Amino acid sequence: MKALIFNGALERRQESTSGVLSNYFAEQLNQLGVENSVFNLADSGIPLFDTSLSRIPNSVKIMNNLFLEADVHFWLSPLYHGSVPGVMKNCLDWLEISAKNSPAYLTDKNIGLVCWADGVQALQGINAMDAIAKSLRAWTLPFSVPIVKRELFENIGSREISSDYKRKLDLLINIATTRTAVFETLLGRS
């Protein structure tokens, strides 16, 4: 099983919220023996989506391969003005180059969703990612983690994820890896 951790924030610092969450997912997946990689949008060099280009940018080819090779995805996003960042949506729009693949887009991939916000509106980001994932023919997990950012860490100034959110993130990881393993067995791919 391969997992992709899609860091949809434009933060490069390891101590940023997206960096801490990406590292947490990678560590937990490593402990489970699940091969994983982190796709940091901030470092990807993905250009604006442009269907008129005669050549597909190399960064887009690399991104598409990572997204298509992974059995399970974890999409991590901050909430910006009621939705996911535009650059995250732009990146996902580039999956259009896989439209003629068989199967197309992210067909039958399992996707776990995590969004954080300063207030209690993170579910709006979850809903936006859910709609995008489903339009790409993926399955979103029946559990997601909307995060109230002020409650994410143990203490103010700390970068230690609170025990409450660790439980939620671990449950998401467990559902994703278990569901994916069962799904792959049913499809005869394991």
Side-chain angles (χ1 to χ4, degrees):
M1 176 186 306
K2 288 184 181 180
L4 175 71
I5 303 157
F6 178 26
N7 177 356
L10 284 179
E11 300 173 309
R12 288 187 169 89
R13 299 170 298 117
Q14 289 297 313
E15 68 276 3
S16 68
T17 300
S18 64
V20 171
L21 288 170
S22 295
N23 289 337
Y24 184 81
F25 273 87
E27 290 168 7
Q28 297 308 106
L29 291 164
N30 286 337
Q31 288 180 13
L32 293 171
V34 175
E35 181 183 342
N36 65 85
S37 58
V38 177
F39 183 81
N40 284 310
L41 186 54
D43 300 324
S44 68
I46 301 295
L48 289 175
F49 181 59
D50 184 352
T51 57
S52 69
L53 294 177
S54 59
R55 272 188 42 241
I56 296 172
N58 194 47
S59 59
V60 170
K61 290 179 186 176
I62 292 168
M63 183 269 306
N64 263 261
N65 286 338
L66 285 171
F67 277 64
L68 298 176
E69 289 175 358
D71 303 302
V72 62
H73 295 198
F74 296 97
W75 293 0
L76 315 176
S77 176
L79 184 73
Y80 288 168
H81 308 288
S83 190
V84 297
V87 294
M88 182 179 189
K89 175 66 167 68
N90 177 72
C91 181
L92 292 166
D93 286 343
W94 273 108
L95 287 166
E96 185 62 29
I97 70 169
S98 69
K100 293 185 174 136
N101 290 4
S102 182
Y105 306 113
L106 299 178
T107 299
D108 293 333
K109 304 290 183 189
N110 286 302
I111 301 181
L113 306 173
V114 176
C115 185
W116 58 94
D118 286 332
V120 294
Q121 302 302 317
L123 195 55
Q124 289 177 265
I126 299 284
N127 291 336
M129 289 187 286
D130 181 68
I132 295 165
K134 287 176 178 171
S135 72
L136 292 167
R137 303 179 187 173
W139 298 95
T140 54
L141 298 177
F143 179 79
S144 58
V145 184
I147 296 171
V148 177
K149 192 172 173 186
R150 71 177 175 274
E151 297 172 4
L152 176 59
F153 300 111
E154 282 293 340
N155 303 307
I156 295 174
S158 164
R159 289 287 143 204
E160 176 67 26
I161 296 173
S162 70
S163 57
D164 187 42
Y165 276 111
K166 280 183 181 178
R167 275 193 311 277
K168 292 174 184 180
L169 297 171
D170 291 347
L171 178 57
L172 180 66
I173 291 166
N174 181 278
I175 291 169
T177 54
T178 304
R179 177 185 167 100
T180 299
V182 169
F183 196 65
E184 292 297 306
T185 300
L186 290 172
L187 292 174
R189 294 188 207 161
S190 62

